[in-house]
Amino acid sequence: MLEFQQSGDERGHLVIVEGMDDIPFDIARIFYIYGSGNDVVRGQHANRKTQFVLINVAGSCKVNVKDGKGNEAVFVLNRPHTGIYLPAMLWKDMYDFSADSVLLCLASEHYDAAEYIRDYEEYVKIVDEETP
Ligand code: TYD
């Protein structure tokens, strides 16, 4: 988990996230997810190349992260100044979205559908092959 400095003043809060400074990569792409019902599971993929930082800038959600070797952990994103860093080749599921959830995703790469692994069995097989 990453804690970003809150730099607000009497006018309100301000959180600054600079690539290669507050997070360990240069930001090539941002996207944000909102309007997902609380029965929706998003993500459900691993990325061969892309690293992400996810920040719930409003509301909350949970992220379940798996490493393909039997380890998994659940992280709650519920603060605009807290993010989770996800290196490449982790399997992630985002779920339990609050109605007001706005999930900001910072990515290290431009979108390339070919580097997404969307089949869990295939992902585990690749992890096994690459790090036996
Ligand atoms: P998807 O990867 O399923 O979103 P999530 O990570 O929330 O599960 O993406 C949904 C669709 O949007 C899919 O058709 C791919 C497309 N997409 C892009 O074209 N560019 C992007 O940067 C992203 C994240 C998705």
Side-chain angles (χ1 to χ4, degrees):
M1 299 294 293
L2 303 174
E3 273 304 310
F4 306 119
Q5 199 182 333
Q6 290 178 277
S7 310
D9 54 30
E10 66 285 348
R11 296 169 300 166
H13 299 292
L14 175 68
V15 177
I16 301 153
V17 182
E18 291 203 29
M20 294 307 291
D21 189 354
D22 304 293
I23 64 172
F25 56 81
D26 270 329
I27 300 162
R29 170 169 58 118
I30 72 160
F31 54 96
Y32 40 94
I33 293 166
Y34 59 98
S36 289
N38 69 351
D39 55 343
V40 166
V41 181
R42 303 202 59 130
Q44 300 192 284
H45 52 62
N47 294 75
R48 285 185 171 277
K49 274 181 73 184
T50 305
Q51 308 165 64
F52 294 95
V53 167
L54 310 185
I55 306 164
N56 254 103
V57 293
S60 63
C61 80
K62 290 183 184 138
V63 189
N64 184 295
V65 184
K66 294 180 185 166
D67 68 355
K69 298 245 170 229
N71 301 302
E72 79 182 283
V74 175
F75 299 88
V76 179
L77 298 177
N78 59 1
R79 293 189 201 97
H81 53 88
T82 301
I84 183 171
Y85 169 60
L86 299 171
M89 281 306 283
L90 290 178
W91 188 270
K92 53 255 179 210
D93 298 321
M94 293 87 84
Y95 61 103
D96 260 7
F97 293 94
S98 64
D100 60 346
S101 173
V102 181
L103 178 61
L104 175 65
C105 306
L106 312 177
S108 64
E109 312 292 328
H110 288 264
Y111 184 72
D112 172 11
E115 65 104 20
Y116 278 68
I117 306 165
R118 293 184 180 273
D119 180 272
Y120 188 70
E121 303 299 313
E122 184 193 344
Y123 164 68
V124 170
K125 203 165 151 249
I126 293 167
V127 169
D128 271 351
E129 283 165 7
E130 292 183 356
T131 49

Tab-separated table of all heavy atoms in Angstrom, residues 29 42-52 64-69 86-94 111-127 130:
chain	number	residue	atom	x	y	z
A	29	ARG	N	-0.603	5.950	-18.812
A	29	ARG	CA	-2.047	5.854	-19.088
A	29	ARG	C	-2.792	6.000	-17.780
A	29	ARG	O	-2.320	5.523	-16.741
A	29	ARG	CB	-2.315	4.477	-19.711
A	29	ARG	CG	-3.757	4.070	-19.853
A	29	ARG	CD	-3.872	2.815	-20.733
A	29	ARG	NE	-3.122	1.692	-20.206
A	29	ARG	CZ	-3.675	0.529	-19.829
A	29	ARG	NH1	-4.969	0.333	-19.924
A	29	ARG	NH2	-2.916	-0.444	-19.367
A	42	ARG	N	-14.574	-6.831	-11.305
A	42	ARG	CA	-13.808	-6.318	-12.447
A	42	ARG	C	-12.390	-6.852	-12.383
A	42	ARG	O	-12.042	-7.591	-11.464
A	42	ARG	CB	-13.821	-4.794	-12.449
A	42	ARG	CG	-15.227	-4.229	-12.482
A	42	ARG	CD	-15.208	-2.829	-13.010
A	42	ARG	NE	-14.657	-2.776	-14.348
A	42	ARG	CZ	-15.230	-2.155	-15.379
A	42	ARG	NH1	-16.375	-1.552	-15.219
A	42	ARG	NH2	-14.648	-2.144	-16.562
A	43	GLY	N	-11.584	-6.427	-13.323
A	43	GLY	CA	-10.215	-6.925	-13.364
A	43	GLY	C	-10.239	-8.329	-13.927
A	43	GLY	O	-10.504	-8.522	-15.095
A	44	GLN	N	-10.006	-9.306	-13.062
A	44	GLN	CA	-9.970	-10.715	-13.470
A	44	GLN	C	-8.973	-10.917	-14.605
A	44	GLN	O	-9.278	-11.516	-15.630
A	44	GLN	CB	-11.372	-11.206	-13.858
A	44	GLN	CG	-12.345	-11.086	-12.690
A	44	GLN	CD	-13.648	-11.812	-12.937
A	44	GLN	OE1	-14.493	-11.343	-13.683
A	44	GLN	NE2	-13.819	-12.942	-12.299
A	45	HIS	N	-7.808	-10.358	-14.389
A	45	HIS	CA	-6.734	-10.530	-15.363
A	45	HIS	C	-5.386	-10.279	-14.699
A	45	HIS	O	-5.300	-9.705	-13.601
A	45	HIS	CB	-6.925	-9.609	-16.564
A	45	HIS	CG	-7.140	-8.164	-16.249
A	45	HIS	ND1	-6.224	-7.380	-15.604
A	45	HIS	CD2	-8.206	-7.353	-16.490
A	45	HIS	CE1	-6.702	-6.164	-15.476
A	45	HIS	NE2	-7.914	-6.116	-15.988
A	46	ALA	N	-4.352	-10.713	-15.405
A	46	ALA	CA	-2.970	-10.353	-15.054
A	46	ALA	C	-2.378	-9.674	-16.282
A	46	ALA	O	-2.878	-9.840	-17.396
A	46	ALA	CB	-2.166	-11.603	-14.697
A	47	ASN	N	-1.346	-8.885	-16.049
A	47	ASN	CA	-0.699	-8.184	-17.158
A	47	ASN	C	0.758	-8.587	-17.226
A	47	ASN	O	1.464	-8.565	-16.217
A	47	ASN	CB	-0.789	-6.672	-16.937
A	47	ASN	CG	-2.212	-6.182	-16.994
A	47	ASN	OD1	-2.977	-6.391	-16.056
A	47	ASN	ND2	-2.577	-5.567	-18.095
A	48	ARG	N	1.176	-8.944	-18.422
A	48	ARG	CA	2.570	-9.356	-18.585
A	48	ARG	C	3.535	-8.203	-18.326
A	48	ARG	O	4.611	-8.407	-17.778
A	48	ARG	CB	2.798	-9.875	-20.004
A	48	ARG	CG	2.230	-11.246	-20.226
A	48	ARG	CD	2.602	-11.713	-21.602
A	48	ARG	NE	2.274	-13.103	-21.796
A	48	ARG	CZ	3.065	-14.107	-21.390
A	48	ARG	NH1	4.194	-13.865	-20.778
A	48	ARG	NH2	2.704	-15.351	-21.603
A	49	LYS	N	3.150	-6.977	-18.725
A	49	LYS	CA	4.078	-5.843	-18.641
A	49	LYS	C	3.624	-4.738	-17.692
A	49	LYS	O	4.439	-4.110	-17.027
A	49	LYS	CB	4.228	-5.205	-20.036
A	49	LYS	CG	5.272	-5.850	-20.914
A	49	LYS	CD	5.360	-5.129	-22.249
A	49	LYS	CE	6.041	-3.757	-22.131
A	49	LYS	NZ	6.033	-3.049	-23.435
A	50	THR	N	2.323	-4.458	-17.707
A	50	THR	CA	1.863	-3.226	-17.062
A	50	THR	C	1.873	-3.334	-15.538
A	50	THR	O	1.400	-4.308	-14.962
A	50	THR	CB	0.433	-2.873	-17.537
A	50	THR	OG1	0.433	-2.806	-18.949
A	50	THR	CG2	-0.006	-1.533	-16.970
A	51	GLN	N	2.410	-2.298	-14.921
A	51	GLN	CA	2.299	-2.099	-13.472
A	51	GLN	C	1.182	-1.079	-13.254
A	51	GLN	O	0.983	-0.190	-14.087
A	51	GLN	CB	3.591	-1.525	-12.903
A	51	GLN	CG	4.862	-2.283	-13.254
A	51	GLN	CD	6.087	-1.434	-12.952
A	51	GLN	OE1	6.347	-1.095	-11.808
A	51	GLN	NE2	6.839	-1.082	-13.984
A	52	PHE	N	0.481	-1.206	-12.139
A	52	PHE	CA	-0.618	-0.292	-11.846
A	52	PHE	C	-0.493	0.277	-10.435
A	52	PHE	O	0.071	-0.362	-9.540
A	52	PHE	CB	-1.967	-1.026	-11.890
A	52	PHE	CG	-2.360	-1.542	-13.242
A	52	PHE	CD1	-2.072	-2.850	-13.606
A	52	PHE	CD2	-3.038	-0.739	-14.143
A	52	PHE	CE1	-2.444	-3.348	-14.854
A	52	PHE	CE2	-3.417	-1.222	-15.394
A	52	PHE	CZ	-3.112	-2.525	-15.748
A	64	ASN	N	-8.581	-8.071	-4.602
A	64	ASN	CA	-7.997	-9.357	-4.252
A	64	ASN	C	-6.844	-9.610	-5.209
A	64	ASN	O	-7.015	-9.520	-6.424
A	64	ASN	CB	-9.057	-10.466	-4.367
A	64	ASN	CG	-8.515	-11.807	-3.914
A	64	ASN	OD1	-7.610	-12.352	-4.522
A	64	ASN	ND2	-9.048	-12.327	-2.840
A	65	VAL	N	-5.674	-9.872	-4.643
A	65	VAL	CA	-4.467	-10.041	-5.451
A	65	VAL	C	-3.939	-11.453	-5.253
A	65	VAL	O	-3.815	-11.919	-4.116
A	65	VAL	CB	-3.383	-9.016	-5.025
A	65	VAL	CG1	-2.172	-9.132	-5.933
A	65	VAL	CG2	-3.926	-7.605	-5.052
A	66	LYS	N	-3.629	-12.131	-6.365
A	66	LYS	CA	-3.060	-13.480	-6.308
A	66	LYS	C	-1.748	-13.487	-7.076
A	66	LYS	O	-1.608	-12.776	-8.077
A	66	LYS	CB	-4.009	-14.488	-6.947
A	66	LYS	CG	-5.311	-14.673	-6.210
A	66	LYS	CD	-6.175	-15.691	-6.930
A	66	LYS	CE	-7.543	-15.793	-6.266
A	66	LYS	NZ	-8.502	-16.507	-7.095
A	67	ASP	N	-0.817	-14.350	-6.625
A	67	ASP	CA	0.473	-14.422	-7.313
A	67	ASP	C	0.613	-15.673	-8.175
A	67	ASP	O	1.673	-15.928	-8.748
A	67	ASP	CB	1.642	-14.311	-6.321
A	67	ASP	CG	1.758	-15.518	-5.401
A	67	ASP	OD1	0.892	-16.418	-5.454
A	67	ASP	OD2	2.719	-15.557	-4.614
A	68	GLY	N	-0.451	-16.477	-8.241
A	68	GLY	CA	-0.405	-17.680	-9.073
A	68	GLY	C	0.343	-18.837	-8.442
A	68	GLY	O	0.483	-19.898	-9.031
A	69	LYS	N	0.831	-18.597	-7.202
A	69	LYS	CA	1.575	-19.645	-6.485
A	69	LYS	C	0.836	-20.042	-5.205
A	69	LYS	O	1.421	-20.632	-4.306
A	69	LYS	CB	2.961	-19.129	-6.107
A	69	LYS	CG	3.822	-18.769	-7.286
A	69	LYS	CD	5.030	-19.688	-7.345
A	69	LYS	CE	5.784	-19.520	-8.626
A	69	LYS	NZ	6.065	-20.795	-9.257
A	86	LEU	N	0.575	-2.451	-7.843
A	86	LEU	CA	0.453	-3.814	-8.372
A	86	LEU	C	1.509	-4.018	-9.452
A	86	LEU	O	1.365	-3.504	-10.570
A	86	LEU	CB	-0.945	-4.023	-8.963
A	86	LEU	CG	-2.119	-3.866	-7.977
A	86	LEU	CD1	-3.445	-3.870	-8.727
A	86	LEU	CD2	-2.090	-4.974	-6.931
A	87	PRO	N	2.576	-4.750	-9.145
A	87	PRO	CA	3.566	-5.063	-10.168
A	87	PRO	C	2.956	-5.922	-11.278
A	87	PRO	O	1.840	-6.436	-11.117
A	87	PRO	CB	4.633	-5.865	-9.404
A	87	PRO	CG	4.357	-5.676	-7.965
A	87	PRO	CD	2.896	-5.353	-7.843
A	88	ALA	N	3.686	-6.097	-12.339
A	88	ALA	CA	3.208	-6.946	-13.434
A	88	ALA	C	3.060	-8.392	-12.953
A	88	ALA	O	3.634	-8.794	-11.942
A	88	ALA	CB	4.189	-6.881	-14.602
A	89	MET	N	2.285	-9.160	-13.693
A	89	MET	CA	2.123	-10.606	-13.486
A	89	MET	C	1.477	-10.983	-12.149
A	89	MET	O	1.763	-12.031	-11.593
A	89	MET	CB	3.457	-11.352	-13.675
A	89	MET	CG	3.825	-11.565	-15.138
A	89	MET	SD	2.522	-12.377	-16.126
A	89	MET	CE	2.705	-14.078	-15.605
A	90	LEU	N	0.607	-10.099	-11.641
A	90	LEU	CA	-0.252	-10.473	-10.516
A	90	LEU	C	-1.682	-10.557	-11.031
A	90	LEU	O	-2.091	-9.771	-11.885
A	90	LEU	CB	-0.182	-9.424	-9.396
A	90	LEU	CG	1.120	-9.333	-8.617
A	90	LEU	CD1	1.020	-8.213	-7.585
A	90	LEU	CD2	1.452	-10.659	-7.929
A	91	TRP	N	-2.439	-11.482	-10.497
A	91	TRP	CA	-3.852	-11.598	-10.847
A	91	TRP	C	-4.662	-10.706	-9.907
A	91	TRP	O	-4.478	-10.750	-8.687
A	91	TRP	CB	-4.326	-13.041	-10.705
A	91	TRP	CG	-5.706	-13.255	-11.236
A	91	TRP	CD1	-6.872	-13.143	-10.551
A	91	TRP	CD2	-6.051	-13.592	-12.583
A	91	TRP	NE1	-7.932	-13.396	-11.394
A	91	TRP	CE2	-7.455	-13.680	-12.644
A	91	TRP	CE3	-5.301	-13.826	-13.751
A	91	TRP	CZ2	-8.134	-13.989	-13.820
A	91	TRP	CZ3	-5.980	-14.136	-14.915
A	91	TRP	CH2	-7.381	-14.218	-14.939
A	92	LYS	N	-5.533	-9.866	-10.467
A	92	LYS	CA	-6.302	-8.969	-9.583
A	92	LYS	C	-7.790	-8.969	-9.909
A	92	LYS	O	-8.181	-9.000	-11.072
A	92	LYS	CB	-5.764	-7.538	-9.611
A	92	LYS	CG	-5.607	-6.891	-10.966
A	92	LYS	CD	-4.154	-6.851	-11.349
A	92	LYS	CE	-3.949	-6.228	-12.717
A	92	LYS	NZ	-2.782	-6.763	-13.391
A	93	ASP	N	-8.572	-8.933	-8.853
A	93	ASP	CA	-10.031	-8.802	-8.939
A	93	ASP	C	-10.431	-7.595	-8.099
A	93	ASP	O	-10.039	-7.498	-6.934
A	93	ASP	CB	-10.731	-10.031	-8.350
A	93	ASP	CG	-10.405	-11.315	-9.096
A	93	ASP	OD1	-10.315	-11.271	-10.327
A	93	ASP	OD2	-10.247	-12.356	-8.430
A	94	MET	N	-11.202	-6.704	-8.681
A	94	MET	CA	-11.730	-5.573	-7.922
A	94	MET	C	-13.231	-5.795	-7.737
A	94	MET	O	-13.939	-6.143	-8.689
A	94	MET	CB	-11.505	-4.255	-8.683
A	94	MET	CG	-10.034	-3.880	-8.811
A	94	MET	SD	-9.251	-4.616	-10.242
A	94	MET	CE	-9.692	-3.435	-11.509
A	111	TYR	N	-2.361	0.997	-23.478
A	111	TYR	CA	-3.180	-0.214	-23.557
A	111	TYR	C	-2.709	-1.110	-24.688
A	111	TYR	O	-2.519	-0.665	-25.814
A	111	TYR	CB	-4.657	0.137	-23.759
A	111	TYR	CG	-5.531	-1.097	-23.752
A	111	TYR	CD1	-5.760	-1.781	-22.578
A	111	TYR	CD2	-6.102	-1.574	-24.924
A	111	TYR	CE1	-6.547	-2.928	-22.564
A	111	TYR	CE2	-6.898	-2.716	-24.919
A	111	TYR	CZ	-7.109	-3.387	-23.725
A	111	TYR	OH	-7.880	-4.514	-23.711
A	112	ASP	N	-2.542	-2.386	-24.357
A	112	ASP	CA	-2.193	-3.389	-25.362
A	112	ASP	C	-2.902	-4.675	-24.946
A	112	ASP	O	-2.476	-5.353	-23.993
A	112	ASP	CB	-0.675	-3.587	-25.397
A	112	ASP	CG	-0.266	-4.752	-26.286
A	112	ASP	OD1	-1.120	-5.266	-27.035
A	112	ASP	OD2	0.917	-5.146	-26.226
A	113	ALA	N	-3.981	-5.000	-25.647
A	113	ALA	CA	-4.794	-6.163	-25.273
A	113	ALA	C	-3.958	-7.437	-25.224
A	113	ALA	O	-4.253	-8.354	-24.454
A	113	ALA	CB	-5.946	-6.330	-26.261
A	114	ALA	N	-2.886	-7.478	-26.011
A	114	ALA	CA	-2.077	-8.702	-26.118
A	114	ALA	C	-1.294	-9.002	-24.838
A	114	ALA	O	-0.844	-10.137	-24.645
A	114	ALA	CB	-1.119	-8.588	-27.298
A	115	GLU	N	-1.116	-8.013	-23.971
A	115	GLU	CA	-0.342	-8.297	-22.748
A	115	GLU	C	-1.257	-8.618	-21.554
A	115	GLU	O	-0.789	-8.788	-20.445
A	115	GLU	CB	0.660	-7.170	-22.459
A	115	GLU	CG	0.035	-5.814	-22.134
A	115	GLU	CD	0.073	-5.469	-20.664
A	115	GLU	OE1	0.882	-6.044	-19.932
A	115	GLU	OE2	-0.738	-4.614	-20.246
A	116	TYR	N	-2.575	-8.680	-21.821
A	116	TYR	CA	-3.509	-9.069	-20.768
A	116	TYR	C	-3.699	-10.591	-20.798
A	116	TYR	O	-3.938	-11.158	-21.848
A	116	TYR	CB	-4.888	-8.410	-20.982
A	116	TYR	CG	-4.989	-6.983	-20.487
A	116	TYR	CD1	-4.277	-5.951	-21.104
A	116	TYR	CD2	-5.811	-6.657	-19.410
A	116	TYR	CE1	-4.375	-4.644	-20.652
A	116	TYR	CE2	-5.915	-5.342	-18.958
A	116	TYR	CZ	-5.203	-4.337	-19.588
A	116	TYR	OH	-5.303	-3.058	-19.136
A	117	ILE	N	-3.597	-11.229	-19.652
A	117	ILE	CA	-3.915	-12.657	-19.516
A	117	ILE	C	-5.252	-12.725	-18.789
A	117	ILE	O	-5.349	-12.318	-17.634
A	117	ILE	CB	-2.822	-13.396	-18.715
A	117	ILE	CG1	-1.438	-13.152	-19.321
A	117	ILE	CG2	-3.138	-14.892	-18.643
A	117	ILE	CD1	-0.288	-13.547	-18.410
A	118	ARG	N	-6.279	-13.213	-19.486
A	118	ARG	CA	-7.634	-13.163	-18.927
A	118	ARG	C	-8.166	-14.524	-18.517
A	118	ARG	O	-9.304	-14.639	-18.069
A	118	ARG	CB	-8.592	-12.477	-19.913
A	118	ARG	CG	-8.269	-10.997	-20.111
A	118	ARG	CD	-9.269	-10.307	-21.013
A	118	ARG	NE	-8.947	-8.893	-21.200
A	118	ARG	CZ	-9.343	-7.903	-20.405
A	118	ARG	NH1	-10.101	-8.152	-19.363
A	118	ARG	NH2	-8.988	-6.654	-20.652
A	119	ASP	N	-7.334	-15.536	-18.665
A	119	ASP	CA	-7.737	-16.894	-18.275
A	119	ASP	C	-6.875	-17.327	-17.088
A	119	ASP	O	-5.635	-17.380	-17.195
A	119	ASP	CB	-7.541	-17.839	-19.472
A	119	ASP	CG	-7.950	-19.254	-19.116
A	119	ASP	OD1	-7.101	-20.017	-18.606
A	119	ASP	OD2	-9.121	-19.593	-19.320
A	120	TYR	N	-7.528	-17.628	-15.957
A	120	TYR	CA	-6.763	-17.882	-14.731
A	120	TYR	C	-5.888	-19.129	-14.842
A	120	TYR	O	-4.741	-19.131	-14.376
A	120	TYR	CB	-7.702	-17.982	-13.520
A	120	TYR	CG	-6.914	-18.060	-12.227
A	120	TYR	CD1	-6.205	-16.952	-11.762
A	120	TYR	CD2	-6.842	-19.242	-11.506
A	120	TYR	CE1	-5.440	-17.010	-10.604
A	120	TYR	CE2	-6.082	-19.311	-10.338
A	120	TYR	CZ	-5.397	-18.199	-9.894
A	120	TYR	OH	-4.639	-18.264	-8.752
A	121	GLU	N	-6.425	-20.182	-15.458
A	121	GLU	CA	-5.631	-21.421	-15.620
A	121	GLU	C	-4.373	-21.142	-16.446
A	121	GLU	O	-3.285	-21.637	-16.127
A	121	GLU	CB	-6.471	-22.497	-16.325
A	121	GLU	CG	-7.774	-22.847	-15.625
A	121	GLU	CD	-7.533	-23.389	-14.232
A	121	GLU	OE1	-6.657	-24.256	-14.095
A	121	GLU	OE2	-8.205	-22.942	-13.279
A	122	GLU	N	-4.552	-20.385	-17.506
A	122	GLU	CA	-3.423	-20.028	-18.369
A	122	GLU	C	-2.396	-19.204	-17.573
A	122	GLU	O	-1.185	-19.420	-17.685
A	122	GLU	CB	-3.937	-19.222	-19.569
A	122	GLU	CG	-2.852	-18.885	-20.581
A	122	GLU	CD	-3.313	-17.818	-21.585
A	122	GLU	OE1	-4.532	-17.569	-21.693
A	122	GLU	OE2	-2.430	-17.229	-22.234
A	123	TYR	N	-2.899	-18.285	-16.756
A	123	TYR	CA	-2.020	-17.449	-15.924
A	123	TYR	C	-1.171	-18.321	-14.994
A	123	TYR	O	0.057	-18.157	-14.924
A	123	TYR	CB	-2.880	-16.455	-15.124
A	123	TYR	CG	-2.151	-15.812	-13.961
A	123	TYR	CD1	-1.098	-14.924	-14.181
A	123	TYR	CD2	-2.512	-16.102	-12.646
A	123	TYR	CE1	-0.417	-14.350	-13.105
A	123	TYR	CE2	-1.851	-15.535	-11.581
A	123	TYR	CZ	-0.807	-14.661	-11.813
A	123	TYR	OH	-0.133	-14.108	-10.751
A	124	VAL	N	-1.807	-19.255	-14.295
A	124	VAL	CA	-1.073	-20.115	-13.358
A	124	VAL	C	-0.015	-20.926	-14.110
A	124	VAL	O	1.115	-21.085	-13.633
A	124	VAL	CB	-2.054	-21.042	-12.598
A	124	VAL	CG1	-1.308	-22.110	-11.809
A	124	VAL	CG2	-2.941	-20.223	-11.674
A	125	LYS	N	-0.378	-21.380	-15.297
A	125	LYS	CA	0.561	-22.156	-16.120
A	125	LYS	C	1.787	-21.300	-16.493
A	125	LYS	O	2.934	-21.751	-16.390
A	125	LYS	CB	-0.171	-22.621	-17.384
A	125	LYS	CG	0.423	-23.815	-18.040
A	125	LYS	CD	-0.566	-24.420	-19.042
A	125	LYS	CE	0.213	-25.093	-20.152
A	125	LYS	NZ	0.112	-24.441	-21.433
A	126	ILE	N	1.529	-20.068	-16.881
A	126	ILE	CA	2.632	-19.167	-17.267
A	126	ILE	C	3.526	-18.878	-16.064
A	126	ILE	O	4.755	-18.900	-16.170
A	126	ILE	CB	2.077	-17.859	-17.878
A	126	ILE	CG1	1.394	-18.163	-19.219
A	126	ILE	CG2	3.181	-16.828	-18.068
A	126	ILE	CD1	0.542	-17.027	-19.764
A	127	VAL	N	2.907	-18.615	-14.909
A	127	VAL	CA	3.700	-18.354	-13.687
A	127	VAL	C	4.577	-19.566	-13.380
A	127	VAL	O	5.764	-19.422	-13.066
A	127	VAL	CB	2.777	-18.024	-12.483
A	127	VAL	CG1	3.566	-18.012	-11.176
A	127	VAL	CG2	2.084	-16.685	-12.691
A	130	GLU	N	7.445	-19.727	-15.841
A	130	GLU	CA	8.440	-18.653	-15.772
A	130	GLU	C	9.188	-18.633	-14.447
A	130	GLU	O	10.337	-18.222	-14.387
A	130	GLU	CB	7.773	-17.309	-16.075
A	130	GLU	CG	7.332	-17.266	-17.527
A	130	GLU	CD	6.709	-15.945	-17.963
A	130	GLU	OE1	6.538	-15.043	-17.131
A	130	GLU	OE2	6.360	-15.842	-19.161
